[in-house]
Every structure is written in C-alpha cells, then in structure tokens.
Amino acid sequence: MSKLAQHLSSHSTSMLYSPRPRIEGRITRMIGLTIEAVGIKCAVGECCYIELSAQQSVEAEVVGFSGDRIYLMPLYPIEGLQAGTRVIASSESGKVPVGMNLLGRVLNGVGKPIDGKGPLLPEAETGLAGEIINPLMREPIKQPLDVGIRTINGLLTVGRGQRMGLFAGSGVGKSVLLGMMTRFTEAEIIVVGLIGERGREVKEFIDHSLGDEGLKRSVVVASPADDSPLMRLRASQLSTRIAEYFRDQGKNVLLLMDSLTRYAQAQREIALAVGEPPATKGYPPSVFAKIPKLVERAGNGEEGGGSITAFYTVLTEGDDQQDPVADSARAILDGHVVLSRQLAEQGHYPAIDIEASISRAMPQIIDQDHLQMAMRFKQLYSKFRQNEDLINVGAYVKGSDPDTDFVIDNLPSLNAYLRQGINESFPLLQSMQQMIMVLSTPPAAEQNNQQQLHRPVTNGLQK
Ligand SMILES: Nc1ncnc2c1ncn2[C@@H]1O[C@H](COP(=O)(O)OP(=O)(O)OP(=O)(O)O)[C@@H](O)[C@H]1O
Ligand SMILES: [Mg+2]
C-alpha cells in the first residue's frame, strides 16, 4: 500500500470510529408520554438526555420522527418538564452488563442492580440487540430438557432450544409453575424476566417461588407495572440478551418471561403514543412485528453451542384463548402449555390442561415408546372427559368402552400423576417410569373378569 493510501485509510478509520459529536436540541411539546424535540439529529432507538436542571437529567429513547422533529419516550417518570428544555444526544446508548457474576442478582430494565447487594461487577458490557443467527446455522431441537415438572416431562416434553407459551388467566398458577421450573430444571442457567407484573409479586417470586436455591443459578430482570413502558420493553430485551450471552458461552439456558402479554402492552402504549393507528383490540400492527422479533432470539445457537429454552407466559384475559396476543404467540411458538381455571378451582395443581396443550418438538426428541405412551395417556384422558357428564349422572354403562372403563377404575392414579406439590421434583426418567406404571395398572374390574384378562397388552399398554 502506498504511503498516501495508508494515510487515507488510517484517516478514514479514525473518522469512522470517532465519537459522535454531542448534538443538542430543545423540547417543543409533550403529549401524554411522548416528548417532541427539534434541533437534534438522532436515529430511532438512540438515546438522549433531557436536562431537567443542572443536576438532573432523564434518559429517553428516540421512538419516532416526523420531518426534523423527533419523538422521545422517557425511561423514568418525568416531572417539571418545560418547553425549551435542553436535549442532548448520548453516545453510549443502551449498553448492558453481562457475565457470570450476574448470577444471583436482580436487575432493572437498564441492567442496574435493585437487590441491595452492592454494585455489579460485570465481565463485559454489550448492546441490547443480539446478533441474528442464520436459521440454517441453528442446531435443530433434538435433545429433551428436563424441567422437573412431571406432566411436562412426561406428556409435553420440551426440547433444548424450544420456545413454549404458558397460556393462562390470572391467578391460575403461572408464577408457581415457573418458580418450580427454576428450582428443578437441569438447565445450567436460568434467566427470569418479570415484565409488567405487580411490584409485590416480584419480591414474592424471588423469596418464595425462586428461593435461595433457585436464585443461585438465576438472573432476574424485573420491571413492574409502574415502570415506564420503555423500561418494560428494555427489561424483556435485557433478559433475552443475558440469555443469549450465556448461550454463546455454550450453556443450556432456561429463559422464563412473565409475561409476553405485558411486553405487547408496553409496545402498544409506545406505538399509540407516537401516533400509530390501533388495529386488533387496540394493538397497533407494530406489536405483532415485535413479538416474533423477541421470541426468535431464543432457541439453539450454532452447531455445538448452547441453547435457550424459553417459556413465555401469555395472559388469556377472561380465559379468552382468542386474544390477539395469544393468537400471535401460538402461531410463532413451538408449543403451548395451557393452564385451566377449572382445574385450579378443583385444587388440581399444576392446572395443566393436557388436552389443550401441545409440544410441537416432542416427536423429534423422545423415543417411540415414550411418544406412544404419552399419546395413549392423552387419548384415555380425552375419552374420559367426553364421557364425564354421562358418568357423573350415572348414565354411563360400564363395558361400553374399555378405555373409559380403564380411566374410571384408575382415575385417582391418572390424576395423581398430573398433580405435583410445589416442593416436589420429578426428573424426566422418573416421569416416564411413573407413566408406564400408571398405564399398566390392570383395572380392578378387569381382575375379576376372565374374558377381559385375555385382552392383548403391548408395552404395558392396552390396545
Ligand atoms: N403446584 C401448586 N400446588 C399448590 N398450590 C398451588 C400450586 N400452584 C399454584 N398454587 C396456588 O395458586 C395460587 C396462585 O398461583 P400463582 O401466583 O402462581 O398464579 P399466577 O397465575 O401467577 O397469578 P397472577 O396472574 O396473579 O400472576 C398460589 O398462591 C397457590 O395458592
Ligand atoms: Mg404470577
């Protein structure tokens, strides 16, 4: 390379990487949550500081623009804002901490610790947006992940890198189930995103559901309902970013996000405030573009790397499974676990409705015997549910259907299999063995029935 070329290339490099000059503008308007500023050039997604006084400034993100006006959304509640307030572009926007010493810590949406355990000493800082993995380079889902929940392990087996929805109304047992998974899963690292829930619940989740045992290998990112919508969005992205970091270190990560609906609602608040027109149930179209963008970041890494297995809770308000967020989530996730209010009301916990739930990756990750057994269990249970009313009024005639007879005789053991106490853990192998036992129990009536004794039995299952 000639001296001139060398000079030019070193010159252009220094131009490229020189810090962006601090540009400033003025606030002209604030309507609802949206702040309008002029005289400042910033791209969407960049950060600014709004200088409320010489000592106090609030961070805000550019969420839109129109001509030479930019629209900002503050990260924190803002008071005392006046027309003409100075806005300064920030050059180090959106850096978040990552590293092993995040384990056991509770962070807010911008990665600051809120657990009173002193400052974080992160190994590194990174941007909020992770690298997009070429879908063809991703390792396929082929190995199961033990989540410690018998019904899931046995009947809805989840694979490493699978993204599941946890669909339920309020108070049906989502948090307890997620808490149990954090304590009992075989995943090496757990990242919990508590997004837009009640503040009281955050502490409850950490103290009771997670406990010391669960917290040790977890990172919790919490942004309760009274945080700004931007903070709630950031918290969802941060929990995903932290999970990505651990995945890139080759770890098997379990990412639990409670809830995806609150994430969608935060995006709805922002989009409506900026002027996007509402569509389905008040959700602007951008919400349905943002959900897949977040969810697609979970999953397996490239061949030989780590994995992010994720559970996203989806609130089905009024237990409405047709909610637009639920619909959109169902379409892009690799399966869903539905919690039933009816079961919860009967004290049947975890209130998993096995008929309505499905794990789409299950056939690829378990052996044929296990798959057949799980299908058999579901079929038996469905048949019983179809005939339940008849049975309850005494109109079912025994002997009409061998499967229904089997369930009537073995209902306590089938139900016992589906139930699990908060402090009980059932590993994958045990879940499978117990399913074999439940399905191979000869019905009491059958023992006295010579004819039925000769019914063929394969693999412990009745045909
Ligand atoms: N496995 C279980 N065993 C016994 N009780 C349970 C179990 N799971 C949930 N419960 C009961 O259900 C209650 C509600 O559970 P949880 O707080 O997990 O619901 P949620 O769906 O997270 O509610 P919200 O929508 O309010 O966040 C718990 O306080 C507990 O009494
Ligand atoms: Mg909850």
Side-chain angles (χ1 to χ4, degrees):
M1 201 189 283
S2 75
K3 277 203 164 159
L4 178 65
Q6 264 178 5
H7 171 76
L8 282 176
S9 79
S10 68
H11 185 67
S12 66
T13 310
S14 70
M15 289 281 283
L16 265 178
Y17 294 105
S18 68
R20 206 156 48 83
R22 282 156 59 102
I23 316 166
E24 67 169 74
R26 301 272 161 192
I27 301 284
T28 50
R29 202 157 78 135
M30 179 176 188
I31 297 177
L33 296 168
T34 326
I35 298 166
E36 200 180 283
V38 292
I40 179 168
K41 264 195 185 162
C42 277
V44 172
E46 284 186 340
C47 278
C48 295
Y49 286 102
I50 300 172
E51 257 188 12
L52 294 172
S53 66
Q55 297 81 30
Q56 196 194 1
S57 59
V58 169
E59 200 177 341
E61 187 179 307
V62 182
V63 288
F65 62 87
S66 167
D68 54 2
R69 283 158 221 265
I70 59 163
Y71 300 120
L72 295 161
M73 184 94 36
L75 266 167
Y76 302 93
I78 204 162
E79 274 173 29
L81 190 67
Q82 292 178 354
T85 303
R86 224 154 64 111
V87 186
I88 303 162
S90 147
S91 52
E92 79 301 320
S93 44
K95 283 270 181 276
V96 291
V98 285
M100 286 310 267
N101 37 14
L102 261 61
L103 292 178
R105 302 301 304 263
V106 185
L107 317 176
N108 69 5
V110 287
K112 299 264 180 303
I114 52 169
D115 50 8
K117 291 185 187 166
L120 268 185
L121 299 166
E123 282 158 32
E125 288 203 321
T126 175
L128 256 186
E131 266 178 48
I132 295 170
I133 303 179
N134 178 345
L136 300 182
M137 296 298 163
R138 278 185 193 260
E139 192 161 350
I141 304 171
K142 50 187 185 200
Q143 236 185 314
L145 180 86
D146 185 347
V147 290
I149 311 294
R150 185 166 48 195
T151 308
I152 299 183
N153 280 345
L155 299 166
L156 303 159
T157 320
V158 174
R160 291 184 185 182
Q162 190 170 351
R163 295 132 340 136
M164 294 286 283
L166 183 60
F167 289 63
S170 56
V172 187
K174 298 180 294 296
S175 303
V176 171
L177 187 58
L178 293 185
M180 286 166 74
M181 284 195 221
T182 55
R183 280 177 289 138
F184 306 143
T185 180
E186 65 168 354
E188 295 150 281
I189 300 226
I190 300 117
V191 182
V192 186
L194 299 174
I195 316 297
E197 299 293 315
R198 284 149 289 185
R200 166 187 65 80
E201 253 204 339
V202 173
K203 184 149 176 52
E204 238 174 61
F205 185 85
I206 293 162
D207 291 349
H208 299 124
S209 306
L210 208 55
D212 287 343
E213 193 192 332
L215 189 60
K216 259 193 280 179
R217 50 188 186 136
S218 306
V219 185
V220 180
V221 182
S223 181
D226 57 346
D227 269 1
S228 70
L230 195 59
M231 192 64 124
R232 281 177 267 147
L233 277 196
R234 287 267 188 106
S236 327
Q237 287 159 354
L238 175 60
S239 29
T240 309
R241 186 69 197 96
I242 294 173
E244 282 172 337
Y245 168 82
F246 286 117
R247 175 189 59 194
D248 296 344
Q249 305 288 311
K251 305 275 188 226
N252 290 308
V253 182
L254 180 65
L255 169 67
L256 305 172
M257 201 171 289
D258 190 9
S259 72
L260 191 66
T261 306
R262 302 281 184 232
Y263 168 79
Q265 288 172 350
Q267 176 58 24
R268 171 169 71 181
E269 277 177 54
I270 294 174
L272 291 178
V274 185
E276 203 184 328
T280 338
K281 276 215 180 169
Y283 286 102
S286 67
V287 172
F288 302 104
K290 282 255 178 182
I291 295 176
K293 252 188 152 174
L294 183 77
V295 167
E296 279 297 320
R297 288 172 64 179
N300 281 333
E302 289 179 7
E303 206 83 27
S307 65
I308 304 177
T309 311
F311 275 83
Y312 297 93
T313 68
V314 178
L315 297 171
T316 45
E317 279 163 38
D319 294 38
D320 170 19
Q321 298 286 330
Q322 305 310 318
D323 176 77
V325 176
D327 248 2
S328 158
R330 200 178 292 111
I332 53 164
L333 292 168
D334 312 314
H336 46 268
V337 173
V338 178
L339 299 188
S340 140
R341 186 170 298 280
Q342 200 192 348
L343 289 174
E345 278 167 359
Q346 292 166 7
H348 178 119
Y349 288 111
I352 300 173
D353 179 346
I354 57 166
E355 285 177 282
S357 308
I358 184 167
S359 163
R360 293 190 195 162
M362 191 170 168
Q364 302 139 40
I365 54 173
I366 55 169
D367 59 45
Q368 273 304 309
D369 287 349
H370 182 173
L371 188 64
Q372 276 184 3
M373 254 188 308
M375 273 163 47
R376 176 86 183 128
F377 196 112
K378 278 185 154 192
Q379 276 166 6
L380 285 170
Y381 204 78
S382 289
K383 275 225 174 135
F384 170 73
R385 299 282 290 184
Q386 283 161 17
N387 291 320
E388 200 172 6
D389 289 341
L390 288 179
I391 298 164
N392 287 342
V393 296
Y396 176 76
V397 181
K398 221 148 182 220
S400 318
D401 175 47
D403 285 348
T404 310
D405 291 348
F406 177 85
V407 184
I408 293 173
D409 292 333
N410 294 286
L411 194 59
S413 50
L414 286 174
N415 274 332
Y417 183 82
L418 299 174
R419 287 180 181 170
Q420 186 169 338
I422 294 179
N423 294 316
E424 288 175 325
S425 159
F426 292 99
L428 196 69
L429 187 64
Q430 201 181 347
S431 305
M432 213 171 80
Q433 286 166 342
Q434 289 183 350
M435 186 155 56
I436 300 177
M437 273 163 61
V438 169
L439 291 180
S440 57
T441 314
E446 207 171 285
Q447 289 165 10
N448 306 324
N449 187 336
Q450 275 301 324
Q451 241 185 343
Q452 290 212 349
L453 259 180
H454 300 291
R455 201 178 331 145
V457 172
T458 315
N459 273 342
L461 305 180
Q462 300 174 21
K463 275 215 167 147

